[in-house]
Amino acid sequence: MTKIFNLIICGYGGQGVLTLAEIISRAALEENYKVMESELHGLAQRGGPLDCHIRMGKNQEFFSPLIRRGEADLIIALDLLEAWRACYFANKKKTKIISNEEIGFLGKWQGTDKKQMISQIKKNSQEQEFIEATKIVKENVGIIGPLNIFMLSQALKKNYLPLKRETVWRVIEERLKGKNLEINKKVFYWGQTPKTDR
């Protein structure tokens, strides 16, 4: 990687946004990147919106973890409403967005229009991937807890992240111990399998 990579992770408190940011940051450190991370909590107790900024590079100097408007290379959104809001950090020339298609209760309460939001996201980014992630995860493992790991696996499958899958999984194993590890392993590696092979 010859430039600084700017990543936004967004969603709601309780969805595993902070865990996802920690996993990616630790994996980047293991691959010898310089990493800076910032968590913009706001009202991010369970159900509140939350953004994490991660910047990484190997031969570049940078001194702030915060990503400026229009400077994101990748946005991983665990909720469609938050992907739409994160368009502030996106631009048509370089930003890739991978988002859950689900709209959480905040979006439903505000009467948001899914088609309108997707249209706006497409106008503000170079490449997009919208996934019925909540539905897919729940149907396959019975719970939605591993949603964040599934979205991470999808970003890796699309080569949106400059990290090795093996490194990321090693960090997940260290971070997510106990009874949920096998479920997360299933979600992570199932998410890596091309759709035609399922």
Side-chain angles (χ1 to χ4, degrees), residues 42-60:
L43 300 174
Q45 293 186 356
R46 187 167 293 273
L50 170 64
D51 290 346
C52 286
H53 293 212
I54 300 173
R55 307 186 75 203
M56 62 180 84
K58 286 192 174 178
N59 301 306
Q60 305 81 16

Side-chain angles (χ1 to χ4, degrees), residues 134-164:
T134 301
K135 178 182 177 182
I136 291 169
V137 171
K138 191 169 185 180
E139 285 180 352
N140 281 273
V141 296
I143 57 175
I144 61 171
L147 172 68
N148 57 344
I149 301 301
F150 177 74
M151 292 299 294
L152 172 58
S153 77
Q154 294 298 297
L156 289 166
K157 185 173 74 172
K158 296 284 290 184
N159 293 317
Y160 286 170
L161 273 170
L163 299 172
K164 297 175 183 175

Side-chain angles (χ1 to χ4, degrees), residues 7-168:
L7 167 65
I8 301 282
I9 304 171
C10 55
Y12 299 126
Q15 286 187 310
V17 175
L18 295 177
T19 300
L20 186 52
E22 180 187 346
I23 288 168
I24 292 172
S25 295
R26 285 174 58 181
L29 286 170
E30 285 203 16
E31 294 190 9
N32 298 314
Y33 287 99
K34 175 184 176 182
V35 181
M36 298 188 78
E37 177 190 338
S38 178
E39 302 158 2
L40 305 182
H41 288 264
L43 300 174
Q45 293 186 356
R46 187 167 293 273
L50 170 64
D51 290 346
C52 286
H53 293 212
I54 300 173
R55 307 186 75 203
M56 62 180 84
K58 286 192 174 178
N59 301 306
Q60 305 81 16
E61 288 293 325
F62 52 100
F63 304 99
S64 171
L66 296 179
I67 297 167
R68 295 184 298 180
R69 179 175 183 174
E71 289 297 316
D73 293 290
L74 173 63
I75 296 170
I76 300 176
L78 305 185
D79 184 276
L80 186 63
L81 176 62
E82 295 310 304
W84 176 70
R85 286 177 172 164
C87 283
Y88 175 87
F89 298 104
N91 75 67
K92 189 72 177 176
K93 293 182 179 180
K94 71 172 186 174
T95 307
K96 296 177 176 63
I97 297 179
I98 184 164
S99 176
N100 186 3
E101 279 193 23
E102 176 74 16
I103 300 176
F105 72 92
L106 282 181
K108 293 171 183 175
W109 174 69
Q110 293 174 10
T112 50
D113 184 301
K114 181 181 283 191
K115 289 183 179 179
Q116 195 173 49
M117 283 195 293
I118 289 175
S119 176
Q120 192 67 31
I121 291 167
K122 287 180 176 179
K123 288 178 182 177
N124 285 277
S125 56
Q126 181 191 69
E127 187 176 335
Q128 319 81 29
E129 181 85 4
F130 301 100
I131 305 168
E132 292 183 318
T134 301
K135 178 182 177 182
I136 291 169
V137 171
K138 191 169 185 180
E139 285 180 352
N140 281 273
V141 296
I143 57 175
I144 61 171
L147 172 68
N148 57 344
I149 301 301
F150 177 74
M151 292 299 294
L152 172 58
S153 77
Q154 294 298 297
L156 289 166
K157 185 173 74 172
K158 296 284 290 184
N159 293 317
Y160 286 170
L161 273 170
L163 299 172
K164 297 175 183 175
R165 182 176 63 176
E166 295 77 13
T167 307
V168 174

